[in-house]
Amino acid sequence: MDCCNLGSSSLLSLRPSSDFHVSPLPSKLRFPPSRVKSFVVNKASGSDGSCSENGFSVPPSRIFIQEAIGAEYGEGFETFRSDGPLKIDVDFLNDKLQEGFLQRIRYAMKPDEAFGLIFSWDNVVADTRALKLNAWKQLASEEGKYIPEDVGIQKAILSAGADHVLQKILLWGEGESELERMKSRLSQLYYENLLKASKSGEKFRKWLDAVSTARIPCAIVSCLNRKSLVEALHRMGLSKYFQAIVAEEDGMESIAHRFLSAAVKLDRKPSKCVVFEDDPRGITAAHNCTMMAVALIGGHPAYELVQADLAVASFSELSVINLRRLFAHKGSTFMDLQKQVVEKTPPKRKLTVDTIF
């Protein structure tokens, strides 16, 4: 389902189910499917004909690029409808996804349900650093080369794009066609390693159980294609926890755009969403979207994640009450005590009548 492919409006079911499902988008945002780049359509339909041994279409090297943060000035993505293009930006979504009267009453009694949680696939849901590093080492073995054991070099390999790594860090550049071949093989190796990702952390699962009990909707965002992402979630036993996914087929061009797309699918205002990230760039993207950001310390040290609203070393440190505290300083204009202003009325004028005798 495309992020802007709207069905009829219905209430979002927050109960875990055995089947993965994507919630319908809110009726307040009715517009036709968004423009998707041709290569995304080709990959989604499998029309390019390139497949790995495991049946996965060979993905583009987007997995190994440093994506744009996005929404630096609140800009979003663009979709099209019969009366012309429609720009979906941060302010637009915060305005159009306002809660209705009955929702506001419900959220006043159950405030946790007003939130939306957005989880990054990379290094939050799955340890993709290990998957990527293994893919690089496998490629090096096939090419008769090696990956240095230096921690700094390996960190640069994991954070930079494949082009930069091949040409500037590993110095494997041997012509354009050779680079494209190695990038394609690298992506294929990554997808093959993805098949081995069959377990999730126990602490992460307990956190999702707590969130599910509080009936807070969750979304997962990734640059993987939808089929591979859904299958990986099924193998890890996590598909029942997520009400929406944003994948490669959604055609989002930056990290922030994926977060905004997830907010639309969850039917939650961006300003009511919490993003779980481990990368400073993802945290910046979340703040650009007016979202809160919870940083997971691991791939980056704590001092690189100081811009996050909350930083934790493990999901065991989190509780649902932490989410409420993130928004505590914002308050709500609904059902809050308001100071009544009593305007002083001007004193009445005394009328006197002069009598002339």
Side-chain angles (χ1 to χ4, degrees):
M1 179 185 296
D2 192 274
C3 74
C4 298
N5 185 15
L6 301 184
S8 60
S9 176
S10 63
L11 293 178
L12 179 65
S13 173
L14 305 184
R15 297 175 182 173
S17 62
S18 58
D19 296 325
F20 187 89
H21 66 279
V22 179
S23 64
L25 298 184
S27 58
K28 290 173 269 189
L29 293 176
R30 294 183 180 275
F31 39 86
S34 64
R35 177 182 61 186
V36 182
K37 292 185 178 180
S38 59
F39 78 88
V40 176
V41 175
N42 290 337
K43 294 295 180 183
S45 62
S47 60
D48 61 351
S50 57
C51 295
S52 70
E53 297 176 358
N54 300 291
F56 291 140
S57 59
V58 177
S61 56
R62 186 167 184 166
I63 298 172
F64 292 91
I65 68 172
Q66 191 176 61
E67 290 186 287
I69 294 175
E72 284 83 359
Y73 302 98
E75 70 276 8
F77 52 91
E78 190 176 72
T79 186
F80 293 88
R81 57 184 187 180
S82 57
D83 57 349
L86 176 64
K87 292 185 177 181
I88 310 298
D89 57 24
V90 177
D91 291 336
F92 177 87
L93 292 179
N94 276 325
D95 178 58
K96 293 299 181 182
L97 294 177
Q98 292 284 351
E99 300 92 349
F101 178 73
L102 294 179
Q103 283 180 312
R104 294 168 68 188
I105 294 178
R106 180 178 180 84
Y107 295 159
M109 295 185 292
K110 299 183 177 181
D112 300 330
E113 295 184 16
F115 307 135
L117 306 187
I118 302 173
F119 294 85
S120 174
W121 164 257
D122 291 327
N123 306 315
V124 175
V125 177
D127 184 11
T128 56
R129 277 188 299 271
L131 295 177
K132 290 180 179 180
L133 187 58
N134 286 339
W136 277 109
K137 289 182 177 179
Q138 288 174 283
L139 179 64
S141 178
E142 292 179 0
E143 299 293 326
K145 302 180 185 296
Y146 73 99
I147 301 294
E149 295 298 328
D150 182 84
V151 176
I153 294 179
Q154 290 190 358
K155 184 176 180 179
I157 290 174
L158 294 175
S159 61
D163 284 313
H164 180 78
V165 173
L166 290 171
Q167 294 179 322
K168 304 296 184 182
I169 299 178
L170 298 178
L171 305 177
W172 292 359
E174 299 175 0
E176 190 67 26
S177 60
E178 188 67 10
L179 287 175
E180 291 300 322
R181 182 190 65 79
M182 285 192 287
K183 287 193 295 182
S184 178
R185 178 56 180 160
L186 180 66
S187 297
Q188 186 177 346
L189 290 170
Y190 176 84
Y191 268 55
E192 291 174 357
N193 290 336
L194 186 61
L195 290 171
K196 303 173 184 177
S198 58
K199 294 183 180 180
S200 62
E202 186 64 26
K203 295 177 181 178
F204 180 54
R205 189 183 294 271
K206 287 183 178 179
W207 166 243
L208 290 179
D209 283 332
V211 167
S212 176
T213 301
R215 299 176 63 84
I216 305 175
C218 299
I220 184 170
V221 299
S222 173
C223 61
L224 293 174
N225 65 61
R226 189 176 305 276
K227 176 184 176 182
S228 301
L229 181 57
V230 171
E231 289 182 354
L233 289 173
H234 272 298
R235 287 194 305 274
M236 299 171 72
L238 299 177
S239 59
K240 63 181 181 180
Y241 296 108
F242 296 100
Q243 285 71 47
I245 65 172
V246 178
E248 177 193 16
E249 289 82 352
D250 291 304
M252 300 295 105
E253 297 181 350
S254 68
I255 303 172
H257 289 178
R258 281 206 292 271
F259 292 162
L260 292 176
S261 179
V264 173
K265 291 187 176 187
L266 292 176
D267 194 12
R268 295 296 187 271
K269 299 190 298 182
S271 59
K272 281 291 187 179
C273 290
V274 182
V275 172
F276 292 81
E277 263 283 358
D278 83 314
D279 194 308
R281 294 169 57 80
I283 295 169
T284 300
H287 287 164
N288 288 349
C289 297
T290 69
M291 300 177 180
M292 293 294 179
V294 175
L296 193 63
I297 303 171
H300 294 269
Y303 64 82
E304 292 183 4
L305 304 171
V306 292
Q307 58 180 322
D309 300 287
L310 178 65
V312 296
S314 170
F315 282 102
S316 62
E317 300 178 22
L318 289 173
S319 65
V320 175
I321 195 65
N322 293 136
L323 302 179
R324 299 180 193 174
R325 289 172 177 169
L326 288 176
F327 296 93
H329 70 285
K330 289 192 173 185
S332 174
T333 58
F334 177 63
M335 297 182 71
D336 277 357
L337 294 176
Q338 302 289 335
K339 183 178 180 180
Q340 183 176 356
V341 178
V342 180
E343 297 182 358
K344 294 182 179 180
T345 55
K348 294 182 179 180
R349 295 177 61 187
K350 294 182 179 181
L351 299 179
T352 57
V353 179
D354 293 335
T355 304
I356 300 177
F357 294 97

